[in-house]
Amino acid sequence: MRDVAVVGFAQRQMPEFDGSPTCVELLVPLFKECYEQTGWTRKDVGFWCSGSSDYLAGRSFSFVQAVDAIGVIPPVNESHVEMDLAWAMYEAWIKIQTGEVDTALVYAFGKSSAGVLRRTLALQLEPYTMTPLWPDTVSLAGLQARTGIDAGLWDERAMAEVANRSLTDAEKNEYAVRKGGSSVDELLGRPMYADPLRKHDCAPVTDGAAALVLAAGDRAREVRDRPAWLTGISHYVDPMGMGVRDLTRSPSARRAGAALDLDGVEVAELHAPFSHQELILRSELGLADDVAINPSGGALASNPMFSAGGIRVGEAAQRIWSGEAGKVLAHATSGPALQQNLVCTLAASTSATEGAGN
Amino acid sequence: MSRTLQAPVTVAFDYTRSTGPVIGRFFSGLRDGVVVGGRTSSGEVVVPPLEFDPGTHEATTDFVEVSSVGTVTSWTWVPQPVKAQPFDHPFAFALVTLDGATAPLLHALDVASPEDVTTGMRVRIRWAEERTGAITDIACFEPLAPGEAETPNEVAASAHDEAVTGVVVPVSLDYNYAASPEESLFYRGLNEGRIMGQRCPTCQKVYIPPRSACPADGTPTAEEVELSQTGTVTTFCIVNVPFLGQKITPPYVSAYVLLDGADIAVLHLILGVPAEEVRMGMRVKAVWKPKDEWTFSLENIDHFAPTGDPDADFDTYKHHL
Ligand SMILES: [Zn+2]
């Protein structure tokens, strides 16, 4: 297994991007920041992989035009996933493990505001018996939240505590589109939106893009004194039928976490677009009370589609670079109600690198 | 003036899906007013039936009829329904475990307010007036009044010999589509009778329409360039085949026109000359529609027509083929 680290990260998050859904003009400055962080040019990047969705963009092959932001003379080694940035990173990690390349720049983008996001995402669902009813993202999360409330696993107050902590932490995050904590009682006093969810329980619709830079071995050490070594990476998926899942649980998140050594994790960036989902993830990953959860403010502060999961990796990696933490965890989700989950650990030391969870 | 041009766009497509033996069996049942579940190897009765058993991964073959009356196991309120949901007024989505099933089914619940829903309440299926073999044959769930006999809704008998083998799922998505600032420059130019491009500061190539970044080197295009209305046919095809939505009677010529000063050709029509006379190197010029018909569109240029000048030398366009 090769030692691979995250050595670069750039992001943009905003309520509404006034530009084309190919987001090329957003990506150009992100790549520039990545070159500045690494000292590289585009010719030092061995592999490129992007994450995006044509349904979000409302046009076919939307990722092809985004390649303009790279420049393709000489030709580049490039791929795409119809998934979050975190999965593009996973593909790049595998590419580096093959030995074919030593470096990769992965990026993702999405203009959620171009359509009705919670409706567009119904296209992720089982197409025979679910999509024709157009169950929106918020409704599916609401069913999940209620299941846990009825089971006594959490309550509205616990959900509001997550939201209040996220909005308070987001005050330090220049990219957060929603920020400013108040008090749990004040949040509970706000009107119900999609009962049992209030608006602050749901991630805001967010446009944006992000990029991560990966490098192997000495290439990583050349870039940073403290590279954020990817010491473990794992992902699993739960069934697509909502009826056969215990919605109070996320077995795929638990399995992904169980494949890794989570002892000693100091910071966890969890991709939880709904407040109760942080509670589920915390339990499934078995995170101790002293683990700092989402110091960035997390997805409740901003949730750009197809980059928000990868942003968790970037936010976590920064804690290693800065010396603030020695071991961190990043999580990304996709699909309805925490259906698909990717977990990785990053550390200042390369010891005990673990393989991908089968 | 906003930075970019924006316009509503609807992208729609009817997906025709084959159902296979399991979902087909479920949909055949709905069409006939019967709910069919599938029994798994662990003894669960799942509605809709799973195509493959989660434990053994064998195809599901054990089908069970369940009741059209059941119990709400979870629900959520939908205050602002989105297009094509079962109701356009506020309603609940619910997970309902039908009597005889062990796993819940997702569907809409027709109630007036969240105060009218509780977990554990008894509900029954309201069937659609016309049933075709689709999940929408269930119009929704509706509450059973307290004390009301737990009877299923009357359902019109239907006599079909044929099993459902396919379903059409219409997908229609509405967007507010924004052009990039560079594309907006191009379309605004067309609305003024001008053809605008931009030059890459790194490789000096002139792109039309201008792009947010040069695809060759990744540099944002910067300098605005107004292009000539005259150019050269680099390559072309004669369209002989009629197709849906065609606006001109075949045969006609669709060609790449390399405008003087540009490094990218534009695709347009060549008219005003018999199709068989169009050739590579032919010099052509833009023929605009009457000004009062102009919009923010390349269609403002009706077509390109021969200038009558001698053909361009091959060397002048060979790098743009
Ligand atoms: Zn260039």
Side-chain angles (χ1 to χ4, degrees):
Chain A
M1 206 71 85
R2 301 184 78 191
D3 292 331
V4 178
V6 176
V7 296
F9 172 51
Q11 61 174 317
R12 294 286 185 282
Q13 305 183 58
M14 60 200 78
E16 200 167 340
F17 170 56
D18 173 27
S20 151
T22 63
C23 295
V24 172
E25 47 178 315
L26 264 188
L27 292 170
V28 169
L30 289 181
F31 294 172
K32 184 161 175 276
E33 280 181 39
C34 289
Y35 302 144
E36 284 165 3
Q37 288 177 29
T38 53
W40 298 353
T41 71
R42 63 197 172 96
K43 289 169 188 162
D44 292 301
V45 177
F47 179 64
W48 302 80
C49 191
S50 63
S52 70
S53 167
D54 286 355
Y55 285 109
L56 206 63
R59 60 184 287 170
S60 52
F61 300 104
S62 58
F63 67 95
V64 173
Q65 198 173 345
V67 173
D68 280 6
I70 301 172
V72 292
I73 293 178
V76 298
N77 186 354
E78 185 265 343
S79 184
H80 173 257
V81 295
E82 194 88 0
M83 288 292 284
D84 186 275
L85 174 62
W87 276 266
M89 180 192 79
Y90 181 71
E91 181 171 334
W93 181 85
I94 288 175
K95 194 79 163 182
I96 294 173
Q97 291 302 335
T98 66
E100 194 184 319
V101 298
D102 297 327
T103 61
L105 197 160
V106 297
Y107 61 101
F109 56 94
K111 184 171 166 168
S112 305
S113 69
V116 179
L117 178 65
R118 64 194 170 98
R119 180 170 189 269
T120 305
L121 293 178
L123 274 297
Q124 289 184 323
L125 303 172
E126 192 276 315
Y128 294 94
T129 63
M130 289 186 73
T131 301
L133 304 175
W134 293 89
D136 56 282
T137 320
V138 174
S139 293
L140 295 175
L143 290 170
Q144 183 180 40
R146 169 98 52 210
T147 308
I149 291 170
D150 287 342
L153 295 171
W154 58 78
D155 56 18
E156 290 173 19
R157 175 163 290 271
M159 290 159 61
E161 281 166 2
V162 169
N164 193 45
R165 197 209 63 236
S166 296
L167 295 172
T168 304
D169 286 343
E171 288 167 23
K172 300 186 291 287
N173 182 347
E174 64 176 301
Y175 300 106
V177 309
R178 185 195 282 159
K179 58 179 91 177
S182 48
S183 74
V184 171
D185 286 330
E186 193 272 327
L187 290 182
L188 287 172
R190 292 185 189 173
M192 207 57 97
Y193 170 54
D195 194 337
L197 302 175
R198 293 173 173 82
K199 284 208 165 159
H200 54 252
D201 291 312
C202 315
V205 173
T206 311
D207 294 346
L212 292 166
V213 185
L214 304 186
D218 287 342
R219 292 301 306 270
R221 290 181 194 96
E222 286 162 20
V223 173
R224 292 197 181 269
D225 296 334
R226 267 173 73 93
W229 299 101
L230 270 165
T231 51
I233 182 166
S234 174
H235 67 106
Y236 284 92
V237 56
D238 290 319
M240 64 179 165
M242 296 284 283
V244 288
R245 290 169 55 192
D246 173 355
L247 293 177
T248 65
R249 300 278 318 276
S250 178
S252 58
R254 173 172 292 253
R255 279 186 86 173
L260 308 178
D261 172 13
L262 303 187
D263 280 352
V265 163
E266 297 150 80
V267 176
E269 282 282 343
L270 305 179
H271 186 197
F274 295 90
S275 57
H276 66 276
Q277 292 179 346
E278 182 186 302
L279 302 170
I280 295 174
L281 290 167
R282 193 170 188 140
S283 154
E284 295 293 13
L285 297 174
L287 297 176
D289 288 345
D290 61 353
V291 175
I293 307 280
N294 291 346
S296 66
L300 290 179
S302 45
N303 187 40
M305 288 307 300
F306 298 93
S307 27
I311 287 172
R312 307 277 72 77
V313 178
E315 290 283 355
Q318 285 179 331
R319 310 277 157 182
I320 303 286
W321 301 341
S322 70
E324 244 172 285
K327 182 171 182 178
V328 297
L329 175 153
H331 159 268
T333 196
S334 185
L338 297 177
Q339 185 207 14
Q340 305 165 42
N341 294 281
L342 182 151
V343 180
C344 64
T345 50
L346 302 123
S349 149
T350 61
S351 62
T353 294
E354 293 165 73
N358 1 58
Chain B
M1 190 167 71
S2 84
R3 192 177 72 122
T4 62
L5 287 171
Q6 311 206 0
V9 172
T10 298
V11 178
F13 188 78
D14 287 350
Y15 288 84
T16 303
R17 298 181 180 277
S18 55
T19 46
V22 178
I23 298 295
R25 177 78 176 258
F26 175 64
F27 283 166
S28 299
L30 294 184
R31 181 196 57 192
D32 298 340
V34 175
V35 183
V36 175
R39 199 188 308 273
T40 68
S41 58
S42 61
E44 302 233 5
V45 176
V46 179
V47 181
L50 302 171
E51 293 192 276
F52 295 93
D53 189 276
T56 64
H57 308 149
E58 297 291 326
T60 295
T61 55
D62 188 359
F63 296 100
V64 187
E65 281 190 17
V66 301
S67 174
S68 59
V69 173
T71 303
V72 170
T73 57
S74 186
W75 62 275
T76 186
W77 192 243
V78 186
Q80 294 162 329
V82 295
K83 189 170 137 187
Q85 283 184 336
F87 296 103
D88 55 13
H89 57 77
F91 67 99
F93 268 118
L95 290 169
V96 176
T97 303
L98 294 167
D99 295 352
T102 58
L105 168 70
L106 172 78
H107 218 298
L109 173 60
D110 187 12
V111 283
S113 84
E115 283 71 43
D116 299 330
V117 201
T118 52
T119 302
M121 75 189 285
R122 298 284 287 165
V123 295
R124 66 182 167 199
I125 288 174
R126 182 195 299 162
W127 295 95
E129 285 180 18
E130 281 186 47
R131 301 194 308 277
T132 60
I135 191 66
T136 45
D137 287 353
I138 298 175
C140 64
F141 286 103
E142 61 188 18
L144 280 175
E148 183 180 353
E150 300 230 334
T151 49
N153 262 319
E154 291 292 318
V155 52
S158 50
H160 295 89
D161 296 330
E162 308 265 307
V164 172
T165 57
V167 63
V168 176
V169 179
V171 169
S172 175
L173 296 168
D174 299 322
Y175 299 91
N176 183 33
Y177 196 91
S180 69
E182 296 77 16
E183 290 164 338
S184 299
L185 166 81
F186 176 67
Y187 292 116
R188 284 182 174 126
L190 288 168
N191 192 44
E192 298 164 358
R194 305 197 299 159
I195 307 173
M196 299 302 297
Q198 275 184 324
R199 193 186 314 274
C200 170
T202 304
C203 67
Q204 306 300 315
K205 292 257 190 295
V206 172
Y207 291 102
I208 161 184
R211 310 169 75 113
S212 299
C214 171
D217 49 51
T219 320
T221 54
E223 182 194 343
E224 292 180 13
V225 180
E226 181 168 354
L227 289 156
S228 169
Q229 308 251 336
T230 304
T232 302
V233 172
T234 60
T235 185
F236 66 96
C237 79
I238 301 176
V239 179
N240 288 300
V241 182
F243 57 84
L244 191 68
Q246 200 167 37
K247 291 177 179 170
I248 304 170
T249 309
Y252 60 90
V253 177
S254 184
Y256 272 123
V257 175
L258 184 69
L259 295 172
D260 297 345
D263 289 285
I264 291 274
V266 293
L267 182 66
H268 219 301
L269 293 166
I270 309 294
L271 299 177
V273 57
E276 63 273 18
E277 289 179 23
V278 174
R279 56 198 179 269
M280 291 172 74
M282 180 180 247
R283 297 286 291 158
V284 293
K285 64 174 188 296
V287 178
W288 292 73
K289 287 180 178 168
K291 193 171 181 179
D292 58 7
E293 293 176 26
W294 289 356
T295 62
F296 295 90
S297 168
L298 191 55
E299 290 185 3
N300 291 359
I301 299 175
D302 187 73
H303 62 275
F304 282 80
T307 61
D309 294 331
D311 285 3
D313 194 28
F314 182 66
D315 285 343
T316 63
Y317 62 89
K318 70 178 181 186
H319 295 297
H320 300 289
L321 292 177

